[in-house]
Amino acid sequence: MKAELRSLPRGLADLVAQHLVASGRFLDDDPERAYLHARTARRLAARLGGVREAMAITAYLAEHYDEALTEFRAVRRMTGNHEVLAMMADCERALGRPEKALTLTRDKHVRDLSEATQIELLIVAAGARRDMKQTAAAVQTLEVPELTKRTRAEWLPRLRYAYADALEEAGRTEEALIWFHRAAGVDADGATGAAERAAQLEGLEFTDLDEDDYDDEPYDQQDESDDDLDEAEDELDETDDELDEVDDERDEAEDERDEADDERDEADDERDEADDERDEADDERDEADDERDELDDELRAVDEVIVDDALDGEVEPSGERSDKDD
């Protein structure tokens, strides 16, 4: 990313970098705000592959799936990065196009992807099958050796959870319970919620706390989040004003360049016209030289005749006839 930013003017590069940093900072807690910053960065530097990828990911996490899909396609075209295929397929699912999602999971570049991305593609493919009411096919899609692999990879709890979820939908509750427990066993952070799903299948109930048990902190946090979002929007508006000013300066520079181009073209035309006149004068001089050469040739021919006649005695050098003619 730093190498790409070096291709921009320094001031512009700093501004783009600031928005990218802000986007990354808000990505986990406030995807919408991260998306707004990434969108501004894209407006500033749409030709940079790293900026387009940041835009695609934030749009995806903020659930702007149509826009995310467009950006992911641009990333593949600009950078040759096919690791985005799983998120592209998931976007197609979210947009209600499971058949297109399945097509992406069979892309010719899948075999070259990282293990994590290939697993994510399996999960998306199984989800697409379930969208198409093909539950048995979804279960079969996820029955891969990686289910029992001993690894601390982040994809393992997600794979086991997806398999357990598909089993439950297929009516295979006892097997689903086993796999929810297995997913929970490797999900140290509880990101999948597998433990809760297992408890529900076992008939355990979770009791929600009464509203009186809550303090006002969540609401304060919400107000603070709203204030942050307003602040971010103000920053974006300010950035838009700066961009408009930059656009005006660029337009003015382009007008000046166009005027300079016109003046240069006019000078070129005048030079071409002068060249044409000089060529025409050269042609006339050459023609005059040819006429003079032709006249010189005629004069030499006459002189030769006169000299020949004089040598033959037909004409005296003085121009008088000789006695032989009397």
Side-chain angles (χ1 to χ4, degrees):
M1 191 67 239
K2 290 183 179 179
E4 290 186 336
L5 288 175
R6 291 194 189 98
S7 66
L8 301 175
R10 184 170 182 178
L12 180 59
D14 290 341
L15 188 58
V16 172
Q18 290 172 9
H19 282 288
L20 291 177
V21 170
S23 178
R25 185 176 63 194
F26 296 117
L27 192 58
D28 293 332
D29 300 328
D30 195 346
E32 184 64 26
R33 187 172 179 182
Y35 160 76
L36 292 175
H37 280 288
R39 188 176 65 179
T40 302
R42 182 199 183 283
R43 180 180 175 186
L44 292 167
R47 294 183 179 180
L48 301 187
V51 171
R52 301 297 289 271
E53 186 170 358
M55 175 64 187
I57 293 173
T58 54
Y60 172 73
L61 294 177
E63 299 183 0
H64 300 287
Y65 296 114
D66 197 13
E67 191 172 3
L69 190 58
T70 298
E71 294 302 313
F72 280 132
R73 288 171 179 159
V75 170
R76 290 187 72 188
R77 183 179 65 255
M78 295 170 67
T79 68
N81 178 15
H82 303 292
E83 295 290 333
V84 299
L85 275 170
M87 288 181 283
M88 292 179 64
D90 202 32
C91 286
E92 294 287 9
R93 275 195 67 204
L95 293 170
R97 302 191 289 250
E99 295 87 355
K100 289 188 177 182
L102 285 175
T103 299
L104 283 173
T105 64
R106 295 190 291 264
D107 189 276
K108 64 181 181 179
H109 296 285
V110 169
R111 66 174 67 91
D112 301 323
L113 301 178
S114 65
E115 184 179 40
T117 302
Q118 291 187 23
I119 295 298
E120 290 297 330
L121 279 170
L122 282 177
I123 295 173
V124 174
R129 292 293 184 185
R130 292 173 64 179
D131 294 340
M132 299 165 65
K133 309 302 180 184
Q134 300 174 3
T135 308
V139 172
Q140 186 177 5
T141 298
L142 296 171
E143 289 177 339
V144 292
E146 286 79 6
L147 275 172
T148 57
K149 190 173 184 178
R150 292 189 176 184
T151 177
R152 293 183 180 181
E154 295 181 358
W155 52 260
L156 184 59
R158 287 178 44 76
L159 176 61
R160 291 183 176 181
Y161 181 90
Y163 183 56
D165 197 33
L167 287 171
E168 184 183 6
E169 184 173 318
R172 297 161 61 176
T173 307
E174 293 183 1
E175 295 175 79
L177 179 59
I178 293 172
W179 282 101
F180 275 128
H181 278 298
R182 290 181 177 176
V186 294
D187 188 7
D189 298 330
T192 63
E196 289 81 357
R197 292 291 300 275
Q200 290 174 1
L201 288 180
E202 290 173 337
L204 299 179
E205 295 183 359
F206 292 86
T207 303
D208 293 333
L209 296 176
D210 294 333
E211 293 182 0
D212 295 338
D213 295 328
Y214 289 96
D215 55 23
D216 294 334
E217 183 179 357
Y219 301 99
D220 294 339
Q221 291 176 350
Q222 181 62 44
D223 293 338
E224 183 178 352
S225 177
D226 291 339
D227 292 338
D228 289 340
L229 187 57
D230 291 338
E231 182 180 351
E233 290 176 350
D234 291 338
E235 292 176 357
L236 291 175
D237 291 337
E238 183 177 350
T239 300
D240 288 339
D241 293 338
E242 294 176 357
L243 290 175
D244 291 337
E245 184 177 350
V246 171
D247 289 339
D248 292 338
E249 292 177 356
R250 185 173 62 247
D251 292 339
E252 183 177 352
E254 290 178 353
D255 292 338
E256 292 177 356
R257 187 174 63 248
D258 291 339
E259 183 177 352
D261 290 339
D262 292 338
E263 292 177 356
R264 187 174 60 251
D265 292 339
E266 183 177 352
D268 290 339
D269 292 338
E270 292 177 356
R271 186 173 61 252
D272 292 338
E273 183 176 354
D275 290 340
D276 292 338
E277 292 177 355
R278 186 173 60 251
D279 292 338
E280 183 176 354
D282 289 340
D283 292 338
E284 291 177 354
R285 186 173 61 253
D286 292 339
E287 183 176 353
D289 289 341
D290 292 338
E291 292 177 355
R292 186 174 62 251
D293 292 339
E294 183 178 352
L295 182 59
D296 289 341
D297 292 338
E298 292 178 355
L299 291 174
R300 280 195 296 273
V302 170
D303 289 342
E304 290 176 357
V305 170
I306 294 174
V307 170
D308 290 341
D309 290 344
L311 293 174
D312 292 340
E314 296 180 358
V315 178
E316 293 295 334
S318 62
E320 297 178 359
R321 292 180 59 86
S322 65
D323 294 338
K324 294 180 180 179
D325 293 334
D326 292 338

